[in-house]
């Protein structure tokens, strides 16, 4: 009786999740997958074809954009990690308990504003007639306004900025479980600060680093807004190619194929990353 | 004999609070020195200053004649065994032990040779590849000590490392630690709030209270001849009476608040009328003594028998309601004593000690 009741409750609570997964993830993806294998014959009739995938491998610009996006997403992830590590270490280990909550709220605060508004904020600061240029001109540091937008560095900075929180939060939660005496013990055993970081802090934080990195990497890879607005036409972000296929060229079949390639790419990179650091997804998720 | 550690007039203040107040002591080479005190007495602060995690507000600290002011923990010739051991969970036993040597840039062949040797020494041969969570409490303890000893420190600091162990293991580790120290000959500075740990293991003990050293001496001195009322209360069990001095001669005669007259020792002579506390060990009280000459005697009634093997005691009450602990020797001589019985107790004036309140 008990078992039965439990089972009914279990399915009752699980069903919204399953429905959500099925309706919003599985069905559209099946449809996209089918679309990506559809094309037109020379006569204009719809046929099954691999042409959409072939296009990707034949046309260098697709290739190039694809690799570039992957590489930059990795760079973004790495930069975010480098910035987030000291920030979370400070919040967890150095700040006083009262300041701690305040600092965490400060980190969260920008995320109450939509990404679009935040990116426009950056643009106001960085553009040729923007705030930075205005003050630098006033102070005589430069005599010609500099265009600080629409280059790769600005774009990566924007991506790091939008992803920061998703790295800091998991890092804070793993760092909280790091016993201070481990750091002191290492220090006592003649370890330098760098040794402590490398041998104690990073190994301890590994699950948090991995989950943070996966989230940041996925967000960066799939981001459309920031690369487009801050990187401009030069950004050559792969999501832009997908958008162009769907909206500009109205070639849904090609767009669907690109979408699937992106999915495969991110999965492969994360899989390789986990293999290299000898972890598995189950451990990281728990 | 040279001193491994010399501390002179060391002070540590946190704002208005003085955690360590003008403490001076020397620890001779190769000795087992304990700092015993209740929690919050400043002993951990003192230890952290020796290890280098904290800097004194004033005073000097020298290790093997080298001034340690401004020297960070990783440059000091001391190692600390942490209260909760702080073994690195991400490393196995040899990686833990070899951690410090690796930081020194020693070759890995030499490291593994030394790790094997030190594991032998702490009686854990072949445990090198085990993970930390596979070890028992006592084994972790020994790994933590091995990890420090392998660094060949001038002084090994231990911050209540037995606190987390269960009683049986703690008793066992006390003896093992003492043996280990005698074997390796490293100077140990051991911090504890457990007087039995300190008494069993140490060559010398400093009793610390409210940031100051009350008394420094051998375990026997502290037990038999406490110099302050705090030491008398803190080290070992003691019965106490409060009273007034009547006469100060070879022995001090006091009249307790219950109106009993006792003769006892005191470190100095007090004027009559001085308020004093009298301390007496439970084992100094003799039950129904045959020869009463020269003894202080009085009658009590037995309230309860606290049987604990060789450590058995009687809980007795004096007519005024004052409770006393009396050692109950387990030689079957007193098996007839039952709760409610009235007995005579006697004690020699040499065993009681008076302090001015």
């Amino acid at each position: 009786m008990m078992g039965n009741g439990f089972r009914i409750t279990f399915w009752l609570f699980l069903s919204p999740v399953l429905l959500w997964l099925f309706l919003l993830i599985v069905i559209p993806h099946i449809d996209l997958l089918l679309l990506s294998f559809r094309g037109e014959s020379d006569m204009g009739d719809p046929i099954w074809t691999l042409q959409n995938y072939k296009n990707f491998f034949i046309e260098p610009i697709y290739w190039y954009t694809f690799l570039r996006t992957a590489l930059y997403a990795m760079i973004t992830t790495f930069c975010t990690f480098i910035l987030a590590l000291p920030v979370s270490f400070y919040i967890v280990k150095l700040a006083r308990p009262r300041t701690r909550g305040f600092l965490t709220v400060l980190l969260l605060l920008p995320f109450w504003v939509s990404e679009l508004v935040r990116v426009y904020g950056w643009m106001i600061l960085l553009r040729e007639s923007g705030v930075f240029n205005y003050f630098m001109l006033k102070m005589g540091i430069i005599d010609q306004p500099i265009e600080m937008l629409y280059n790769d560095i600005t774009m990566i900075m924007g991506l790091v900025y939008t992803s920061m929180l998703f790295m800091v939060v998991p890092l804070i939660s793993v760092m909280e479980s790091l016993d201070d005496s481990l750091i002191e013990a290492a220090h006592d055993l003649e370890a330098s600060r760098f040794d402590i970081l490398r041998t104690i802090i990073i190994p301890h934080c590994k699950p948090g680093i991995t989950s943070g990195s996966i989230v940041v990497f996925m967000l960066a890879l799939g981001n459309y807004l920031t690369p487009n607005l801050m990187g401009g036409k030069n950004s050559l972000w792969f999501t832009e190619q997908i958008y162009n296929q769907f909206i500009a060229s109205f070639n849904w079949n090609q767009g669907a194929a690109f979408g699937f390639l992106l999915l495969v790419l991110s999965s492969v990179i994360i899989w390789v990353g986990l293999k290299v650091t000898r972890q598995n997804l189950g451990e990281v998720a728990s | 004999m040279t001193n491994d550690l010399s501390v002179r007039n060391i002070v540590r203040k946190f704002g208005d609070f003085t955690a360590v107040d003008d403490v001076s002591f020397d620890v001779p080479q190769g000795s087992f020195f304990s700092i015993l005190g209740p929690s919050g007495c400043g002993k951990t602060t003192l230890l952290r200053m020796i290890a280098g995690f904290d800097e004194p507000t004033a005073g000097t600290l020298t290790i093997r004649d080298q001034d340690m002011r401004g020297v960070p923990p990783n440059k000091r010739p001391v190692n600390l065994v942490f209260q909760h051991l702080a073994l690195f969970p991400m490393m196995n036993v040899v990686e833990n032990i070899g951690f410090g040597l690796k930081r020194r840039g020693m070759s890995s062949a030499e490291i593994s040779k030394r790790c094997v040797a030190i594991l032998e020494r702490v009686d854990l041969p072949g445990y090198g590849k085990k993970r930390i969570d596979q070890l028992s409490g006592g084994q972790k303890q020994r790994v933590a000590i091995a990890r420090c000893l392998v660094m060949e420190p001038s002084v090994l600091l231990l911050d209540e490392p037995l606190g987390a162990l269960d009683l049986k293991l703690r008793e066992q580790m006390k003896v093992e630690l003492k043996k280990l120290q005698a074997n390796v000959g490293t100077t140990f500075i051991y911090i504890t709030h457990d007087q039995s740990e300190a008494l069993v293991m140490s060559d010398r003990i400093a009793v610390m209270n409210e940031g100051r050293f009350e008394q420094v001496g051998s375990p026997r001195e502290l037990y038999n001849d406490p110099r302050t009322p705090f030491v008398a209360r803190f080290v070992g069990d003691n019965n106490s009476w409060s009273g007034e001095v009547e006469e100060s001669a070879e022995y001090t005669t006091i009249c307790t608040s219950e109106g009993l007259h006792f003769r006892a020792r005191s470190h100095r002579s007090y004027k009559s009328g001085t308020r004093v506390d009298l301390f007496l060990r439970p084992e100094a009280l003799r039950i129904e003594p045959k020869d009463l000459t020269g003894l202080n005697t009085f009658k009590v009634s037995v309230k309860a028998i606290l049987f604990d093997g060789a450590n058995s005691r009687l809980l007795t009450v004096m007519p005024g309601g004052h409770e006393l602990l009396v050692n109950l020797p387990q030689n079957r001589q007193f098996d007839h004593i039952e709760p409610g019985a009235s007995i005579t107790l006697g004690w020699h004036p040499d065993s009681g000690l008076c302090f001015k309140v």
Side-chain angles (χ1 to χ4, degrees), chain B residues 128-140:
Chain B
K129 289 275 170 273
K130 293 232 181 204
R131 286 198 321 271
I132 296 304
D133 55 22
Q134 289 174 309
L135 302 179
S136 72
Q139 289 167 340
K140 280 183 193 163

Side-chain angles (χ1 to χ4, degrees), chain A residues 1-74:
Chain A
M1 256 337 260
M2 260 287 274
N4 227 343
F6 173 75
R7 197 166 291 166
I8 290 167
T9 329
F10 177 75
W11 285 109
L12 204 68
F13 279 101
L14 197 66
S15 55
V17 182
L18 289 179
L19 267 179
W20 179 67
L21 273 175
F22 192 70
L23 288 178
L24 292 170
I25 313 283
V26 179
I27 294 184
H29 272 79
I30 289 173
D31 193 38
L32 279 178
L33 188 65
L34 293 177
L35 268 178
S36 73
F37 288 107
R38 299 292 283 181
E40 285 178 354
S41 68
D42 296 341
M43 322 293 286
D45 300 322
I47 46 158
W48 293 101
T49 172
L50 285 171
Q51 190 57 42
N52 297 321
Y53 289 93
K54 223 160 125 194
N55 285 343
F56 171 80
F57 290 101
I58 291 166
E59 190 64 64
I61 187 71
Y62 295 151
W63 250 114
Y64 174 71
T65 314
F66 194 69
L67 288 182
R68 190 182 131 92
T69 306
L71 184 69
Y72 276 28
M74 281 193 258

Side-chain angles (χ1 to χ4, degrees), chain B residues 244-255 262 264 270-273:
Chain B
E244 270 177 26
V245 174
E246 290 186 319
E247 191 193 345
S248 211
E250 188 197 350
Y251 290 113
T252 305
T253 312
I254 78 158
C255 177
F262 287 142
Y270 298 113
K271 268 190 283 193
S272 58

Side-chain angles (χ1 to χ4, degrees), chain B residues 200-228:
Chain B
V200 169
M201 293 190 279
S202 320
D203 297 319
R204 287 174 78 71
I205 303 173
V207 180
M208 196 171 182
N209 183 35
E210 291 180 346
R212 291 174 164 276
F213 275 6
E214 295 265 338
Q215 186 177 353
V216 183
S218 70
R220 187 167 295 171
E221 276 165 25
L222 290 180
Y223 192 80
N224 292 334
D225 195 20
R227 307 304 291 193
T228 70

Side-chain angles (χ1 to χ4, degrees), chain B residues 78-356:
Chain B
V78 295
N79 287 107
L80 174 58
V81 178
F82 285 79
Q83 192 165 10
H84 300 292
L85 307 180
L87 293 172
F88 306 131
M90 56 291 254
M91 303 176 200
N92 65 22
V93 171
V94 267
E95 283 167 342
N96 262 282
I97 295 175
F99 183 87
L101 297 177
K102 206 169 170 186
R103 304 281 90 73
R104 280 188 185 162
M106 195 175 273
S107 75
S108 49
E110 182 65 21
I111 292 177
S112 60
K113 210 177 91 190
R114 292 199 186 190
C115 286
V116 168
I118 202 83
L119 278 173
E120 241 4 281
R121 183 146 245 180
V122 295
D123 219 11
L124 290 172
Y127 275 71
K129 289 275 170 273
K130 293 232 181 204
R131 286 198 321 271
I132 296 304
D133 55 22
Q134 289 174 309
L135 302 179
S136 72
Q139 289 167 340
K140 280 183 193 163
Q141 195 80 53
R142 281 180 277 171
V143 171
I145 292 166
R147 187 175 72 173
C148 290
L149 282 179
V150 81
M151 304 295 284
E152 293 170 351
S154 304
V155 177
L156 182 68
L157 307 170
L158 301 104
D159 185 7
E160 306 199 26
L162 304 188
L165 301 181
D166 56 65
L167 187 69
K168 196 95 186 165
L169 196 56
R170 198 153 65 212
E171 294 298 320
Q172 198 184 328
M173 282 305 293
K174 268 189 224 170
V175 182
E176 279 196 37
L177 261 180
K178 170 110 181 147
K179 278 198 282 190
L180 185 70
Q181 194 269 339
N183 259 330
V184 295
T186 307
T187 306
F188 277 36
I189 297 182
Y190 189 93
I191 286 245
T192 182
H193 63 264
D194 181 328
Q195 41 104 9
S196 124
E197 281 176 24
L199 292 174
V200 169
M201 293 190 279
S202 320
D203 297 319
R204 287 174 78 71
I205 303 173
V207 180
M208 196 171 182
N209 183 35
E210 291 180 346
R212 291 174 164 276
F213 275 6
E214 295 265 338
Q215 186 177 353
V216 183
S218 70
R220 187 167 295 171
E221 276 165 25
L222 290 180
Y223 192 80
N224 292 334
D225 195 20
R227 307 304 291 193
T228 70
F230 178 82
V231 176
R233 276 204 189 89
F234 195 71
V235 178
D237 290 323
N238 247 326
N239 295 305
S240 69
W241 286 275
S242 50
E244 270 177 26
V245 174
E246 290 186 319
E247 191 193 345
S248 211
E250 188 197 350
Y251 290 113
T252 305
T253 312
I254 78 158
C255 177
T256 68
S257 46
E258 293 96 352
L260 290 163
H261 299 274
F262 287 142
R263 289 178 307 137
R265 279 189 306 137
S266 64
H267 289 298
R268 17 182 310 233
S269 65
Y270 298 113
K271 268 190 283 193
S272 58
T274 316
R275 294 207 54 82
V276 289
D277 278 340
L278 169 62
F279 293 98
L280 186 68
R281 300 273 177 212
E283 66 269 24
L285 282 162
R286 285 188 241 157
I287 302 165
E288 305 283 0
K290 292 215 169 60
D291 182 11
L292 296 175
T293 42
L295 298 186
N296 297 303
T297 55
F298 55 100
K299 280 204 165 291
V300 291
S301 65
V302 176
K303 199 171 173 187
I305 297 168
L306 313 173
F307 185 80
D308 185 15
N311 203 21
S312 299
R313 280 161 182 192
L314 290 178
L315 180 64
T316 61
V317 259
M318 294 174 65
H322 189 79
E323 288 187 349
L324 294 174
L325 283 171
V326 183
N327 253 34
L328 184 64
Q330 288 302 303
N331 50 12
R332 324 274 337 233
Q333 193 190 334
F334 302 110
D335 284 3
H336 62 276
I337 295 177
E338 295 286 339
S342 179
I343 55 172
T344 305
L345 296 177
W347 55 278
H348 194 271
D350 275 339
S351 22
L353 195 53
C354 303
F355 292 97
K356 191 180 164 189

